Amino acid sequence: MVTLATYLPFYRIHEINEYFENNINIIKPDKAIVYIDNIYKENQKEILKRILPDHIEVRTGNWRNRNDTWIAMLKDFHTLSGDFIVVDSDNVVDSTFPKIHEKLRSNPIYTILDFEAWERNPGHFLARSRKIGDIDLDGKTRPLYAYKVFDSSIGGIFRGGSLFFIGPKQVVAFSKLPDLDLVTRVERALSAVDPWLRNFISDETLLGVLAYLMGIEEVPWTIASHHHHHGSTLGSATKILVASAHYQFSKGLLRELKNNIFIRYNIKYLLSIIKNLRFLTKGGLERQ
C-alpha cells in the first residue's frame, strides 16, 4: 500500500493539475491525497469540487502554515497503513523514482533533492551529509548520501541554519511514522509559537526534530525530482522574526519533551535575538 500526498495553500491549487497528476502517473499509488490550506469557506470547497479530479482525495483545513499542515498529515497517516510519499506541490519526480523507492523504502525515512538544486549549488546539503554509496538504476548510478539531522557541534550554535533539519525535502518518504503521541507533543510545542511566527520555522526543521526524536541520526537522500518553482514568494524574512519563532518553538519542545538537547536549540536563537536587537538599535535590521 502506497499513499502519495502533497500539500499547498488554496492560491496554488493549479499545481495539483499541473504537477501532482504527473506524480500520480509516475508513482501509481494506491491512494492520492491533497491537503489544501487556507480553506475556511464552503464556497472554496465548491470550487475545489468543480476543478479537481475525482480520483484525488481532498482534505482541507485552515492551518495557515506548513508545519501545522504537516502535523495534520502525519496524524491522518496513522489511520492508514503502508508507505507514505509526500511530494512538494511544485515538484515532479523523475521516471526512475519508483525504482529508487523500492531500493530505499527499508529506511524509516528518506528524502529527495531536485536536479535543479543539485546542479545549481548542492553545498548547503553536502556540508552536513556523507556519501554512503550509489544507487544502480539499470546500469546508471545515482549518488546516495546521508544527512545528519542534528548538528551536535559546538559551532552549530553560532553558524547559520537550524540545528535540526531533515535535509533535502522535495520528497519525503516514510516507511515508519513517528509515534502518534510524539506527533501530538511536538504539536503542542508548535502551538506555543505565535501563529504569525510559525511560517518562519521551516518544515525541514519540524521534520528534523521528529526524525531526531524517532532515534534517527541520519536520513538517506538522492536526486530524483524536478522543481518547478512557484515564484509566489519574494524576498526573505528578517532574522529577528526567524529567531523569535525558533526560540518559542525550542521553549515548547523543552516543556513537552523534557529533553536537555533542546537547551542548545534555545540558546542558539536567544543569542540570535540579542544580536539582532543590538543591530536594530543601531538603525538597521539584518536580513536573512
Side-chain angles (χ1 to χ4, degrees), residues 21 28 31-32 39 94 109-110 166 169 235 237 262:
E21 282 278 28
K28 296 179 173 53
K31 179 185 286 286
I39 300 293
D94 181 67
I109 304 174
Y110 73 85
I166 196 72
K169 190 203 59 62
F262 295 116

Side-chain angles (χ1 to χ4, degrees), residues 24-79:
I24 292 173
N25 292 334
I26 293 169
I27 297 171
K28 296 179 173 53
D30 300 285
K31 179 185 286 286
I33 310 175
V34 173
Y35 289 81
I36 305 178
D37 196 2
N38 308 122
I39 300 293
Y40 51 90
K41 291 275 191 179
E42 286 301 316
N43 287 347
Q44 291 174 296
K45 295 180 182 179
E46 290 301 318
I47 292 171
L48 297 177
K49 289 178 183 177
R50 290 200 298 268
I51 66 173
L52 297 182
D54 293 336
H55 60 270
I56 297 177
E57 182 177 341
V58 178
R59 301 189 184 186
T60 62
N62 193 25
W63 304 291
R64 295 180 291 173
N65 65 86
R66 296 180 299 273
N67 288 315
D68 281 306
T69 306
W70 262 105
I71 293 290
M73 287 194 294
L74 291 170
K75 291 169 79 171
D76 277 359
F77 292 166
H78 272 277
T79 67

Side-chain angles (χ1 to χ4, degrees), residues 6-23:
T6 194
Y7 58 107
L8 69 171
F10 180 69
Y11 69 88
R12 287 171 56 185
I13 56 175
H14 59 281
E15 294 178 349
I16 298 170
N17 289 324
E18 286 187 23
Y19 308 127
F20 192 60
E21 282 278 28
N22 291 333
N23 289 317

Side-chain angles (χ1 to χ4, degrees), residues 238-241 276-277 279-280 282-288:
T238 56
K239 283 191 173 182
I240 196 166
L241 294 177
N276 284 282
L277 281 174
F279 188 84
L280 179 60
K282 294 179 182 178
L285 191 61
E286 190 173 351
R287 303 292 295 184
Q288 173 161 303

Side-chain angles (χ1 to χ4, degrees), residues 122-284:
H124 172 65
F125 299 109
L126 292 175
R128 264 167 74 168
S129 300
R130 63 185 182 92
K131 189 173 181 182
I132 56 175
D134 291 290
I135 301 175
D136 181 21
L137 298 170
D138 298 328
K140 296 183 179 180
T141 60
R142 199 77 54 84
L144 180 63
Y145 295 91
Y147 190 91
K148 191 175 183 181
V149 300
F150 174 63
D151 183 354
S152 58
S153 67
I154 297 298
I157 294 178
F158 305 102
R159 283 194 295 269
S162 180
L163 294 180
F164 295 94
F165 208 79
I166 196 72
K169 190 203 59 62
Q170 307 308 321
V171 180
V172 183
F174 299 86
S175 63
K176 178 183 178 182
L177 295 170
D179 291 341
L180 188 56
D181 176 66
L182 181 59
V183 174
T184 301
R185 291 162 76 184
V186 172
E187 179 184 26
R188 288 199 297 263
L190 186 63
S191 70
V193 181
D194 188 291
W196 300 108
L197 292 177
R198 289 179 202 169
N199 259 326
F200 294 116
I201 302 171
S202 70
D203 40 356
E204 289 94 338
T205 291
L206 176 82
L207 293 169
V209 167
L210 286 166
Y212 176 83
L213 292 171
M214 291 170 68
I216 297 170
E217 294 183 0
E218 295 179 317
V219 170
W221 64 273
T222 190
I223 311 102
S225 83
H226 290 282
H227 187 187
H228 303 271
H229 195 275
H230 56 88
S232 61
T233 54
L234 299 173
S236 54
T238 56
K239 283 191 173 182
I240 196 166
L241 294 177
V242 173
S244 298
H246 281 278
Y247 177 71
Q248 292 180 20
F249 188 36
S250 66
K251 285 179 66 177
L253 290 168
L254 268 169
R255 183 182 64 251
E256 295 295 334
L257 279 305
K258 306 295 190 294
N259 188 326
N260 288 339
I261 202 69
F262 295 116
I263 293 175
R264 184 178 298 188
Y265 184 23
N266 184 263
I267 290 172
K268 176 183 175 75
Y269 287 100
L270 176 60
L271 292 174
S272 181
I273 290 171
I274 293 169
K275 173 187 172 184
N276 284 282
L277 281 174
R278 289 177 62 189
F279 188 84
L280 179 60
T281 60
K282 294 179 182 178

